[in-house]
Amino acid sequence: MTKNMRHTKIFADGNLTVGRVDPNLYGSFLEHLGRAIYGGIYEPGHPDADENGFRRDVIGLVKELAVPLVRYPGGNFVSGYDWTDGVGPKEKRPVRLDLAWFTTEPNEFGTDEFMKWCRAAGVEPMMAVNMGTGTVKDAARLVEYCNHAGGTELSEYRRSNGADKPYNVRYWCIGNEMDGSWQIGHLDAESYGKKALEAAKVMRWANGEMDEDCPSPLRLVVSGSSNHEMKTFPEWDRIVLEHTYPQVDYLSMHRYYEYGAGRKRPLEDFLGSADDMHRFIGTLRATIEYVRAKVRSEKQVYLSFDEWNVWTQSAERTEPAWKRAPHILEDVYTFQDALVVAGMLNTLLNNCDIVRIGCLAQLVNVIAPIMTKNGGGTFRQTTFYPFRALSNNARGVALRTISDSARFENMYGTARCLNEAVTYDPATGEVCVSLVNYGQEACEAELELRSLGNLKATERTEMTSSDLFAVNGFDCPENVVPHEGELPRVKDGSKAKIVLPAMSWTFLKFSRIA
Ligand code: AHR
């Protein structure tokens, strides 16, 4: 360490846990939007497509990310979607205008194709129902189509469409961002709360949940605030929960951060995203607790952070309206964006007691870690790497951390220069540490990982770059990738010092010495 290098102590103890890391924290999202579906996961005629038209190269990358759960079919799209358009013989399916994204929806891919794709990709489906133009009846009928064994018109229709056995879909979102004026069929909190309650009730009945013995109850997600800058936040969440608390299992929350088109905003605002996300979670955690007390419930409702990412929303759309599968929202992520995504993942881990579902929005082509070329190849975005490392390794329990990191000021207040998360997996005995140095200078981290046995470092991966705006692309797929670093020496079985380069992400793995 050089004399003036910043020094940060990070302490964690195996007995002090935040909570179990729900594998669904590493979920993702696919919407009928741009080229997420058409040209993304589904491209019949592509040299690598299987007999269903699913791109095998994309499925390979989804598996590499170890995504357990995928939300579908929207997003804003779902609020104008009639699910019956997307089932049955393909030649009879209607071509429609999608009023959420001003594109043309061919409906070649729908519920049955999604279920098949989920099987091929090894992920669990998380369906969303339309609460914009859709009715309570439409929602219940989709549950019946998916989950009822047979003997009714809808379940027999599913069977005739090739799915003899019910899909038994467990996770369901009751609408999407219903607090937003941009949403098709937007409602105020009271109206949505009442509608969501009725939808939840009949969706459960359609799933056979008339009594408490139902072997496979639905896990229902009620629509929370689209972001914490909404004027209605957090009243929206309180009101909606007061209407629905006994019937639902999760409150959804969404948040995207951006540096901004033209990069005119202070960098500190963007680099403080992870800490801001932490505060947003804190407010909704408190809102859930308040409503739980108010409605006298013993049940715990959790948070489903089912859309989060970096997204340059201020970028202009260049594609004309009503195209099929246009190139829209195809953000190319910079090295700096990967640092922000790594910090946001740390925030999810540090709140895993209440956040039980996380969906990186989205998965392919649309603000996504995986990019494809129509008829061509793929590349991994910069953000792919921190997600892959944590999703594959940071499992088990998250540990509480104490850190004396310096802080910087930004529009949200202050944020830590060194952002950390620590997990311990009792199944493997492995400890994972994810460290993001948002400082403009290198810093030394002094780790103390107590009550975890005698540790030795087994992996160190690092992302650094001299260019904060470096990106990957079809021509330079490995321009920004993680590199292996020198393993830190562990002193007394629990202490390690490590120098973190300026603006870097470092991932460390430790295991117990037998
Ligand atoms: O993920 C892109 C869009 O962002 C989703 O459709 C919507 O829910 C959110 O505003």
Side-chain angles (χ1 to χ4, degrees):
M1 178 174 105
T2 57
K3 207 162 145 227
N4 296 321
M5 191 182 279
R6 195 161 39 81
H7 181 91
T8 302
K9 284 188 191 151
I10 294 172
F11 172 86
D13 186 303
N15 295 312
L16 301 175
T17 64
V18 178
R20 187 178 71 85
V21 178
D22 194 313
N24 288 334
L25 215 55
Y26 300 114
S28 190
F29 172 36
L30 279 169
E31 177 168 3
H32 283 248
L33 197 186
R35 296 189 311 119
I37 305 292
Y38 306 108
I41 60 167
Y42 176 76
E43 193 179 345
H46 186 278
D48 220 2
D50 68 11
E51 68 285 3
N52 295 306
F54 303 155
R55 284 185 63 157
R56 290 194 189 89
D57 52 352
V58 174
I59 287 182
L61 290 171
V62 171
K63 287 189 172 166
E64 203 179 310
L65 284 175
V67 168
L69 178 90
V70 175
R71 181 170 175 252
Y72 171 88
N76 297 340
F77 171 80
V78 78
S79 299
Y81 181 52
D82 180 344
W83 67 266
T84 61
D85 289 346
V87 291
K90 285 200 184 183
E91 61 287 0
K92 290 199 179 144
R93 296 188 196 172
V95 173
R96 300 232 188 255
L97 293 185
D98 163 26
L99 302 180
W101 299 104
F102 311 123
T103 58
T104 298
E105 171 55 53
N107 280 309
E108 281 165 30
F109 189 100
T111 302
D112 295 305
E113 287 77 22
F114 180 61
M115 296 301 158
K116 266 194 200 149
W117 182 84
C118 285
R119 258 183 230 139
V123 305
E124 176 153 14
M126 182 191 200
M127 294 291 284
V129 297
N130 177 351
M131 286 285 110
T133 58
T135 61
V136 166
K137 177 174 164 187
D138 298 328
R141 287 184 151 215
L142 179 55
V143 173
E144 180 182 338
Y145 181 84
C146 289
N147 289 3
H148 193 71
T152 64
E153 185 192 50
L154 287 172
S155 52
E156 291 304 322
Y157 186 36
R158 181 201 67 240
R159 295 182 69 200
S160 71
N161 289 333
D164 188 37
K165 297 259 165 24
Y167 295 124
N168 291 325
V169 178
R170 295 190 296 167
Y171 292 91
W172 295 83
C173 300
I174 309 174
N176 175 72
E177 294 191 350
M178 295 304 295
D179 58 336
S181 56
W182 60 86
Q183 201 66 212
I184 300 170
H186 153 69
L187 294 170
D188 61 48
E190 286 286 344
S191 313
Y192 171 66
K194 286 178 188 159
K195 185 170 178 182
L197 173 68
E198 291 308 307
K201 193 175 82 183
V202 295
M203 286 166 77
R204 290 197 185 283
W205 289 347
N207 189 49
E209 293 176 52
M210 283 68 71
D211 50 49
E212 281 170 7
D213 304 331
C214 175
S216 185
L218 302 183
R219 288 148 199 213
L220 298 180
V221 184
V222 73
S223 221
S225 282
S226 298
N227 63 68
H228 61 21
E229 281 162 11
M230 299 295 295
K231 280 208 182 87
T232 48
F233 168 79
E235 271 299 273
W236 170 277
D237 305 86
R238 176 189 69 76
I239 296 167
V240 165
L241 276 180
E242 283 188 24
H243 280 289
T244 57
Y245 201 95
Q247 279 289 354
V248 301
D249 305 288
Y250 302 86
L251 172 71
S252 90
M253 60 192 297
H254 295 173
R255 182 65 177 152
Y256 296 97
Y257 291 92
E258 71 170 313
Y259 187 33
R263 301 165 187 166
K264 288 183 197 125
R265 293 176 47 195
L267 180 58
E268 288 75 16
D269 293 350
F270 185 47
L271 297 182
S273 301
D275 277 12
D276 181 60
M277 186 183 187
H278 176 78
R279 276 186 290 267
F280 182 18
I281 294 170
T283 306
L284 289 185
R285 175 196 288 280
T287 307
I288 292 173
E289 265 324 285
Y290 171 81
V291 176
R292 187 156 90 102
K294 187 164 179 195
V295 301
R296 310 281 189 264
S297 177
E298 282 178 16
K299 178 175 111 176
Q300 180 68 59
V301 164
Y302 295 100
L303 288 168
S304 170
F305 213 133
D306 42 44
E307 286 186 36
W308 69 269
N309 205 346
V310 169
W311 173 14
T312 307
Q313 289 193 59
S314 51
E316 268 178 47
R317 172 174 169 150
T318 51
E319 290 274 59
W322 313 128
K323 268 185 92 170
R324 283 187 190 203
H327 290 259
I328 51 174
L329 277 71
E330 297 198 4
D331 285 25
V332 176
Y333 288 110
T334 64
F335 164 72
Q336 180 175 277
D337 294 334
L339 298 187
V340 171
V341 163
M344 291 172 87
L345 281 162
N346 286 354
T347 295
L348 291 177
L349 286 167
N350 290 327
N351 288 283
C352 70
D353 56 325
I354 191 80
V355 184
R356 292 286 177 95
I357 296 176
C359 298
L360 176 69
Q362 301 193 4
L363 187 54
V364 185
N365 286 334
V366 171
I367 45 173
I370 299 169
M371 297 300 284
T372 72
K373 198 177 256 180
N374 293 344
T378 60
F379 76 88
R380 297 171 184 81
Q381 296 249 34
T382 57
T383 53
F384 186 96
Y385 296 103
F387 191 97
R388 180 179 73 180
L390 293 174
S391 171
N392 279 281
N393 297 289
R395 306 262 176 167
V397 292
L399 302 185
R400 287 195 185 282
T401 54
I402 299 172
S403 143
D404 63 356
S405 169
R407 302 183 77 86
F408 57 90
E409 287 185 8
N410 65 6
M411 65 186 274
Y412 305 115
T414 66
R416 282 165 304 159
C417 293
L418 181 54
N419 180 297
E420 81 289 340
V422 180
T423 59
Y424 166 66
D425 190 347
T428 59
E430 278 178 345
V431 178
C432 295
V433 181
S434 164
L435 300 165
V436 191
N437 181 11
Y438 290 121
Q440 307 300 315
E441 286 153 18
C443 93
E444 186 186 59
E446 188 180 335
L447 303 174
E448 186 168 349
L449 306 167
R450 277 207 209 145
S451 311
L452 292 159
N454 270 341
L455 298 177
K456 70 164 190 224
T458 54
E459 189 183 322
R460 173 179 178 171
T461 323
E462 218 160 57
M463 277 177 91
T464 56
S465 175
S466 53
D467 176 6
L468 294 182
F469 299 103
V471 296
N472 293 333
F474 292 107
D475 301 335
C476 51
E478 307 217 328
N479 191 33
V480 185
V481 291
H483 294 284
E484 274 186 25
E486 197 185 320
L487 294 179
R489 211 162 49 81
V490 180
K491 236 179 97 189
D492 306 330
S494 65
K495 293 179 188 153
K497 285 186 182 168
I498 171 168
V499 174
L500 307 171
M503 294 290 282
S504 64
W505 168 67
T506 302
F507 175 72
L508 296 165
K509 237 158 96 172
F510 298 87
S511 52
R512 284 167 189 249
I513 301 169

